[in-house]
């Protein structure tokens, strides 16, 4: 096989093989130009126009240079270096908008052993998106590097049978990630059964998990299947697995290792074909060291651990999440008009640490929507929503506190500070404080001894609330 140029057509046998593949595939040469796209690709990614002759990066990313020259991980460049199949996760432009796509690229070599063509399989991940596109979005949303790194691990492990352990703070979306693992697996058509381990007392845990036979205890008038049997063929999600009692852990270990269990009061050995995804916010390794969690069960559950990043680590995702959550809130409340955030309101949300993560953000968004009578949620509405929630230091900054330069830049003189805290600051004096202030408005509010809500209301009265106009 001669090494192709940009105009060398691929062998007809290769094109025929490409068409037989049920998954979307494209074929391109060493110059990144697409030479062929199979029927599955055309249906899903290019139903209206041909992509043949265009470069892969122009089609997928709308850019003029290869991915690795635009800050992305380029599978072709990686395959050239490694000489092997490479797999990456990309955010692609599709007819339905931006979508996460898992790419598996395989180099095809010529007679001299050099890469001649590249064949690329593409699989969209419907459980995740990089934009807030209305109320239909109910899955994972984000674009930050931390989010994409987590999502890439989900895409890699989902098609396998490996047990997955989700680690992360409360409110980071562990159940959504578990659902994404399930929906990306061959078991997607079977049930995903959720076990809330934290809510089950020890006396009921075994019965809920494994079921019981007639006469197993007072009131057991007939046999009852447990959650394990309900998950047969699908996925069993053990949420807050660190709360499973030690007495149950050994029976769960038997299920994971042999696929067998017994109902309470039964002698018959039953089998369950299922995959286990577990999640916890606890430090399981410390619990193992303290004897509160079995070591063998820990290793059986953590075949493929995935850490979920906290919201404060996901730079830029707060805006996407807030917009998507607001669309859902407005849809659920059946408001006649679409609510939007003012730019200053989004900026204020981005300053918060959100120890409750996405769950806390959702509460703040819903609270701010209820406080807003118009169509635009302002920074004052957000400040009011934050104050009504979990008490936190003024500003709720992501870091421990302002830098020394910020402290100096926002400090009014002693007399002005005293007047501010007594509530006697005039409009002219407030303007002077604003003129001297070089940092964030949250820091100015703290220096004046005011809440952010009070400051934004005073600014609105002055006509100085950025990007949001006067308060109603």
């Amino acid at each position: 096989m001669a090494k192709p140029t940009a105009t060398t057509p691929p062998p007809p046998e290769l094109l025929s093989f490409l068409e037989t593949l049920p998954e979307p595939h494209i074929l391109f040469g060493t110059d990144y130009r697409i030479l062929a796209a199979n029927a599955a690709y055309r249906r899903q990614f290019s139903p209206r126009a041909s992509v043949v002759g265009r470069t892969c990066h122009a089609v997928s990313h709308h850019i003029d240079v290869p991915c690795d020259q635009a800050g992305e991980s380029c599978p072709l460049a990686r395959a050239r270096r490694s000489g092997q199949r490479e797999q990456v996760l990309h955010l692609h432009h599709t007819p339905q908008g931006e979508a996460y796509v898992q790419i598996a690229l395989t180099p095809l070599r010529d007679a001299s052993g050099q890469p001649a063509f590249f064949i690329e399989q593409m699989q969209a991940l419907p459980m995740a998106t990089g934009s807030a596109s209305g109320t239909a979005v109910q899955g994972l949303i984000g674009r930050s590097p931390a989010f994409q790194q987590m999502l890439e691990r989900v895409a890699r492990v989902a098609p396998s049978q490996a047990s997955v352990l989700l680690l992360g703070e409360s409110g980071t979306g562990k159940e959504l990630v578990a659902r994404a693992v399930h929906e990306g697996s061959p078991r997607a058509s079977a049930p995903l059964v959720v076990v809330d381990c934290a809510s089950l007392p020890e006396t009921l845990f075994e019965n809920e998990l494994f079921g019981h036979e007639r006469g197993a205890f007072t009131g057991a008038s007939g046999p009852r299947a447990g959650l394990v049997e309900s998950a047969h063929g699908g996925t069993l999600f053990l949420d807050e697995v660190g709360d499973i009692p030690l007495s149950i852990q050994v029976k769960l270990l038997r299920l994971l290792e042999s696929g067998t269990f017994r109902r309470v009061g039964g002698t018959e050995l039953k089998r369950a074909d299922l995959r286990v995804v577990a999640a916890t916010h606890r430090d399981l390794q410390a619990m193992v060291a303290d004897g509160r969690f079995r070591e063998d069960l820990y290793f059986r559950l953590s075949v493929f651990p995935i850490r979920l990043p906290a919201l404060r680590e996901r730079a830029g995702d707060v805006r996407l999440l807030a917009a998507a959550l607001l669309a859902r809130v407005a849809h659920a409340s059946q408001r006649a008009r679409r609510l939007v955030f003012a730019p200053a309101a989004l900026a204020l949300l981005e300053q918060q640490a959100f120890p409750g993560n996405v769950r806390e953000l959702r509460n703040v968004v819903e609270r701010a929507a209820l406080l807003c009578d118009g169509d635009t949620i302002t920074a004052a509405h957000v400040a009011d929503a934050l104050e009504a929630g979990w008490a936190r230091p003024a500003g709720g900054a992501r870091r421990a506190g302002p830098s020394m330069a910020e402290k100096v830049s926002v400090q009014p003189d002693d007399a002005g500070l005293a007047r501010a805290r007594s509530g006697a600051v005039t409009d002219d004096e407030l303007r002077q404080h604003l003129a001297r202030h070089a940092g964030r408005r949250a820091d100015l509010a703290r220096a004046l001894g005011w809440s952010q809500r009070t400051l934004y209301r005073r600014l609105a009265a002055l006509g100085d609330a950025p990007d949001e106009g006067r308060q109603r």
Side-chain angles (χ1 to χ4, degrees), residues 6 43 59 61 109 134 151 202 209 236 287 322 333 361 369 392 410 414 427 467:
R43 285 193 301 268
V59 170
H61 299 289
R109 302 179 182 280
L151 190 60
E202 184 172 356
L209 202 60
L236 186 71
M287 293 180 67
S333 63
L361 174 62
R392 65 183 74 234
V410 301
D414 292 340
D427 289 348
D467 300 316

Side-chain angles (χ1 to χ4, degrees), residues 248-444:
I248 306 299
Q249 290 180 23
V250 64
K251 297 180 180 180
L252 179 60
L253 179 65
R254 183 188 306 119
L255 172 69
L256 294 176
E257 291 187 336
S258 66
T260 63
F261 67 98
R262 288 186 175 88
R263 290 178 178 176
V264 176
T267 58
E268 180 186 356
L269 196 64
K270 292 183 172 291
R271 294 190 175 275
D273 171 26
L274 51 78
R275 182 197 198 165
V276 171
V277 177
T280 184
H281 72 282
R282 300 182 183 275
D283 185 346
L284 290 187
Q285 292 183 349
M287 293 180 67
V288 168
D290 293 341
R292 292 178 291 138
F293 200 86
R294 292 182 62 99
E295 184 179 41
D296 45 7
L297 179 59
Y298 168 76
F299 285 119
R300 190 63 184 82
L301 291 171
S302 62
V303 174
F304 197 89
I306 300 177
R307 180 182 173 274
L308 277 62
L311 189 52
R312 61 184 173 275
E313 302 172 51
R314 297 172 53 181
D317 284 353
V318 168
R319 288 176 176 262
L320 293 173
L321 288 164
L325 292 168
L326 182 60
R328 296 174 199 173
V329 167
H331 178 73
S333 63
Q334 297 181 340
R335 294 182 66 121
R337 288 171 289 185
R338 180 173 178 266
L339 277 172
V340 296
F341 280 106
L346 289 172
L348 183 56
L349 285 173
E350 288 188 314
Q351 294 172 12
Q352 309 308 312
F354 288 117
N357 293 295
V358 180
R359 185 181 294 118
E360 183 186 0
L361 174 62
R362 181 186 61 203
N363 291 346
V364 172
V365 167
E366 185 166 2
R367 202 177 298 139
L370 291 171
L371 292 168
C372 176
D373 294 323
D375 297 328
T376 303
I377 296 178
T378 67
H381 294 129
V382 170
D384 202 357
L386 289 166
E387 283 191 359
W390 194 349
R392 65 183 74 234
R398 297 173 188 265
R399 56 188 185 281
S403 65
M404 184 59 67
E406 289 175 325
K407 290 179 180 178
V408 171
S409 68
V410 301
Q411 290 295 334
D413 57 83
D414 292 340
L417 182 59
R419 286 175 59 78
R421 289 180 173 166
S422 69
V425 170
T426 66
D427 289 348
D428 288 339
E429 288 172 334
L430 181 55
R431 289 190 180 95
Q432 292 174 15
H433 291 315
L434 285 170
R436 291 196 299 268
H437 169 57
R440 298 179 300 120
R441 294 290 167 88
D443 296 327
L444 176 60

Side-chain angles (χ1 to χ4, degrees), residues 60-98:
S60 299
H61 299 289
H62 294 181
I63 55 178
D64 297 329
V65 295
C67 301
D68 56 342
Q69 297 179 32
E72 290 272 9
S73 177
C74 176
L76 189 148
R78 289 173 55 170
R80 278 175 165 164
R81 290 194 299 268
S82 68
Q84 300 178 10
R85 181 177 183 267
E86 293 288 344
Q87 186 169 307
V88 300
L89 180 73
H90 275 180
L91 190 58
H92 277 193
H93 290 276
T94 74
Q96 294 76 37
E98 283 191 313

